[in-house]
Amino acid sequence: MAFIRMLGEILRVDFDLCAELIDGALEQQRTLSSNKRLGQILLTQEAIDAATLARALASQQGLSYLERIEETPQTAELLSLIPMGFARSYGIFPLERQENCVRIVVSDPLDLRALQDISTLTECFVERIVATPEEILKATHRAYERHAGDADQMVETISSGEEIDLAEGFEPEDLLDTSDEAPIIRFVNRLVTQALKERASDIHIEPFEDRLLVRFRVDGILHEVVRPPLKAHASISSRIKIMAGLNIAEKRLPQDGRFRVRIGGKDLDVRVSTLPVAFGERVVLRLLDRSSNVLSLEDLGLKDNMLSQVKQMIQKSHGIFLVTGPTGSGKTTTLYAALNRLNSPDKNIITVEDPIEYQLAGVGQIQVNTKIDLSFANGLRSILRQDPDVIMVGEIRDRETAEIAIQSALTGHMVFSTLHTNDAAGGLTRLVEMGIEPFLAASSIVGILAQRLVRKICPDCREPVSIDAQTLAEMGYSDSALSQLEFFRGRGCDSCMDTGYLGRTSIYELLIVDDEVRQLLLANKDSASIKAAAVRRGMPLLRDSGLAAARAGKTTLEEVMRVTQEDS
């Protein structure tokens, strides 16, 4: 019989852990009559980390240790046999099967309950390999998401006419662990899962006279994904309505709702909008990954000079800082980055948003609710009675909200908000068009940042490309010297779904409201005059920022042209 060393001895001898720490943990175990094992107590005391404990347990049991788990060709077969919930609850990962042996990665090699079940299920001897719980969980989510299957694989199933039960309620759970659901439910689950996997921001489900179309918006561009059978449309829309808590009987009026799910351990917030059209209800789902971190100002892609200017603006004691651009241009992300920089215990920061996209610790966030008359304007009035230092208004949509925001800035508050205008100078004139007196806008606004999102060239298929002067002229670039520069494009590959683009980055235009700009605004000059004056004083346009990104190999000239046509 092989001699098994004590865990404490292994940690002391092999991992140089202080004997006093081990003795203290053993004393705690005895004194408190704790059910915790020695390794768990040492982990709680932060005397060791999870990797050290896993290595020590592997050494004690004479097993191998894996720092990173990589799938094998046999993993997919085992995934089909072992439900994700089972694997996750026991902290195991099925690695491979060879003849009469199945290799399982475990976090606790002393827990044999799950291994006995797997041995019975596979009729194989189980060989244990040790890894940390965190690595096993990451591998589990990674593998089950990869092998869950795409929505188009479900089309044949929902075409079969199988009886569908949509009456059951919806409870937020991990969508990768719902293999026993009805076909329509599995189809919707896989649609959302596939959208997250492909980095989609929106899912469009559109009925036409002879077909049902599903499209994903990836990096700002819509792509057709699958064409389910038209007869399944009512069931698909009803299932989504149930998930969002909407009225499935009401098909004549638009409805809005939301639901939350978990996919591979990620929290996903899904906003649902339904709209009655000629051939049924059009359904759009907006996906928001709640587990993603708020970006910092340095991560946004602002140039050094512009970054320092923005930092100076947002740190003022009072005033309005506006971010402008069309829908989906990243305005809210920029405002969150600004709030995140200012967020500290000595500042009272309150926001009113529609919707709340990210939770910011230490920041009071109000959700707009028009059903109970909680609008941006009403929310902003209430905020002012909460003694705020910094206020963020999700969007200035009307004169009332604009007036309250300006009065807030003039009475000693720093206000952040967004506007839907094409450029920075247009933000000033838009407020005047709303009915704001020019002198109020001129005295309260400190700066306006216009931005766009451009698709980045896929790094896996990036290649240089030469562009002649004629092509540049057709694209709106008059400087023939640009034809001597090297640009890049994406050839198209599996990584970018043959689009040549992968991910997005921002380009910016910053208007500093100085004395000259104020004078032009007070003189009721149009946005073109204000823009021209700012350019004379050195303001780079969105097109200039995009051209710099193209010269740096981040994006293509075609992409810059697509999002900055107003600068032509």
Side-chain angles (χ1 to χ4, degrees):
M1 181 177 180
F3 173 72
I4 298 180
R5 298 166 65 196
M6 301 297 289
L7 182 64
E9 180 191 351
I10 294 173
L11 290 169
R12 180 176 58 82
V13 176
D14 298 354
F15 295 91
D16 297 323
L17 186 63
C18 177
E20 285 77 8
L21 288 174
I22 298 172
D23 292 340
L26 289 170
E27 182 61 27
Q28 180 181 332
Q29 192 180 40
R30 286 192 297 268
T31 305
L32 302 179
S33 300
S34 174
N35 291 326
K36 284 187 175 181
R37 300 209 294 265
L38 175 63
Q40 293 173 311
I41 294 174
L42 290 169
L43 269 180
T44 304
Q45 295 176 345
E46 297 184 354
I48 59 174
D49 58 20
T52 300
L53 178 58
R55 290 176 185 274
L57 287 171
S59 176
Q60 183 190 44
Q61 301 297 316
L63 304 174
S64 301
Y65 169 78
L66 272 182
E67 185 173 345
R68 175 171 171 79
I69 300 172
E70 299 286 354
E71 289 185 48
T72 68
Q74 295 82 30
T75 299
E77 176 194 351
L78 293 171
L79 292 176
S80 64
L81 293 174
I82 302 173
M84 178 183 169
F86 180 87
R88 196 163 53 180
S89 62
Y90 283 105
I92 64 172
F93 181 81
L95 191 62
E96 63 180 337
R97 184 177 189 169
Q98 294 177 342
E99 297 180 355
N100 64 338
C101 175
V102 58
R103 303 177 72 204
I104 303 293
V105 185
V106 300
S107 57
D108 183 0
L110 301 177
D111 187 355
L112 303 178
R113 295 170 298 168
L115 305 185
Q116 291 169 352
D117 292 340
I118 292 174
S119 179
T120 302
L121 181 66
T122 60
E123 298 181 348
C124 290
F125 170 75
V126 174
E127 178 186 335
R128 296 167 294 167
I129 304 171
V130 183
T132 63
E134 182 183 7
E135 177 59 26
I136 290 176
L137 188 61
K138 285 196 297 187
T140 300
H141 289 157
R142 202 164 53 230
Y144 279 90
E145 181 178 331
R146 184 179 295 116
H147 296 286
D150 291 338
D152 55 359
Q153 298 172 357
M154 290 294 301
V155 170
E156 185 177 346
T157 306
I158 63 176
S159 301
S160 63
E162 182 179 337
E163 189 67 25
I164 301 166
D165 179 17
L166 292 169
E168 61 181 275
F170 173 72
E171 293 293 332
E173 58 179 340
D174 201 308
L175 297 191
L176 298 180
D177 192 26
T178 53
S179 57
D180 57 344
E181 302 283 10
I184 287 292
I185 296 175
R186 292 208 308 273
F187 174 79
V188 173
N189 290 352
R190 292 192 182 179
L191 202 61
V192 177
T193 302
Q194 184 179 344
L196 180 64
K197 186 166 60 176
E198 296 183 5
R199 303 175 299 103
S201 60
D202 302 83
I203 303 172
H204 291 242
I205 302 172
E206 304 162 294
F208 297 97
E209 183 176 12
D210 56 349
R211 69 189 187 281
L212 178 62
L213 190 62
V214 176
R215 296 190 290 174
F216 289 169
R217 187 178 294 279
V218 181
D219 294 335
I221 305 296
L222 281 169
H223 301 277
E224 182 177 337
V225 179
V226 64
R227 294 191 179 191
L230 187 58
K231 66 178 183 179
H233 173 243
S235 298
I236 292 170
S237 60
S238 293
R239 175 56 187 168
I240 294 172
K241 284 183 176 182
I242 288 171
M243 297 172 80
L246 303 179
N247 183 0
I248 63 172
E250 180 57 76
K251 302 179 185 296
R252 302 165 300 171
L253 295 173
Q255 295 187 69
D256 295 302
R258 64 196 307 164
F259 62 89
R260 291 180 65 179
V261 292
R262 288 178 66 82
I263 301 177
K266 292 182 179 179
D267 280 317
L268 197 66
D269 195 2
V270 184
R271 282 183 276 154
V272 177
S273 172
T274 69
L275 183 70
V277 292
F279 300 103
E281 284 184 292
R282 196 176 187 276
V283 183
V284 175
L285 291 81
R286 167 66 60 89
L287 311 181
L288 185 68
D289 185 358
R290 299 177 66 90
S291 60
S292 58
N293 295 323
V294 176
L295 297 176
S296 67
L297 283 174
E298 289 77 10
D299 295 331
L300 294 178
L302 291 160
K303 296 297 182 184
D304 292 342
N305 184 42
M306 192 180 293
L307 177 62
S308 63
Q309 291 172 332
V310 169
K311 287 179 179 178
Q312 290 174 10
M313 289 178 184
I314 67 172
Q315 289 170 344
K316 290 181 179 292
S317 60
H318 62 277
I320 297 180
F321 179 74
L322 292 174
V323 182
T324 73
T327 301
S329 59
K331 300 186 298 294
T332 305
T333 299
T334 299
L335 288 184
Y336 274 123
L339 290 181
N340 202 36
R341 180 173 182 83
L342 298 178
N343 192 8
S344 62
D346 62 333
K347 280 191 169 59
N348 182 20
I349 303 176
I350 307 179
T351 74
V352 54
E353 308 171 57
D354 185 23
I356 297 172
E357 295 192 11
Y358 297 98
Q359 300 289 341
L360 290 173
V363 175
Q365 296 174 268
I366 302 171
Q367 169 69 56
V368 166
N369 189 341
T370 54
K371 293 179 181 177
I372 57 173
D373 199 29
L374 180 54
S375 62
F376 279 116
N378 291 337
L380 188 48
R381 283 196 193 91
S382 300
I383 286 175
L384 292 173
R385 294 192 285 270
Q386 291 283 314
D387 185 31
D389 297 300
V390 180
I391 300 169
M392 195 265 270
V393 186
E395 182 184 347
I396 294 178
R397 295 177 178 173
D398 51 44
R399 176 178 177 176
E400 185 180 17
T401 307
E403 287 177 341
I404 302 171
I406 287 175
Q407 290 300 326
S408 302
L410 294 175
T411 53
H413 303 91
M414 190 63 207
V415 181
F416 298 145
S417 192
T418 68
L419 274 176
H420 286 282
T421 61
N422 287 331
D423 56 17
L428 289 171
T429 53
R430 175 63 56 85
L431 291 174
V432 175
E433 291 167 2
M434 285 182 179
I436 300 300
E437 292 292 339
F439 75 91
L440 288 175
S443 58
S444 60
I445 296 173
V446 297
I448 302 179
L449 183 72
Q451 69 180 75
R452 296 289 189 278
L453 291 176
V454 294
R455 291 180 291 170
K456 293 193 295 186
I457 299 172
C458 174
D460 294 336
C461 60
R462 180 172 173 267
E463 62 181 15
V465 59
S466 58
I467 303 179
D468 57 54
Q470 181 180 351
T471 304
L472 286 168
E474 291 172 355
M475 293 170 59
Y477 295 101
S478 57
D479 188 356
S480 59
L482 291 176
S483 61
Q484 307 301 317
L485 299 176
E486 184 179 49
F487 293 98
F488 296 86
R489 68 171 184 180
R491 185 176 58 256
C493 63
D494 292 338
S495 299
C496 59
M497 296 183 292
D498 292 320
T499 62
Y501 298 98
L502 187 65
R504 289 190 287 181
T505 188
S506 300
I507 57 175
Y508 298 96
E509 172 182 294
L510 179 62
L511 174 67
I512 300 172
V513 182
D514 56 16
D515 290 340
E516 183 178 356
V517 171
R518 291 190 182 97
Q519 290 302 320
L520 291 170
L521 186 60
L522 291 172
N524 283 322
K525 295 295 184 180
D526 59 15
S527 62
S529 300
I530 295 173
K531 185 175 184 177
V535 170
R536 285 196 303 272
R537 294 172 69 86
M539 181 185 80
L541 297 175
L542 282 167
R543 175 67 62 86
D544 300 326
S545 178
L547 181 58
R551 291 178 61 178
K554 295 179 181 178
T555 188
T556 63
L557 282 176
E558 293 87 349
E559 182 68 4
V560 174
M561 182 63 187
R562 182 181 69 84
V563 301
T564 62
Q565 292 179 5
E566 62 273 10
D567 285 345
S568 297

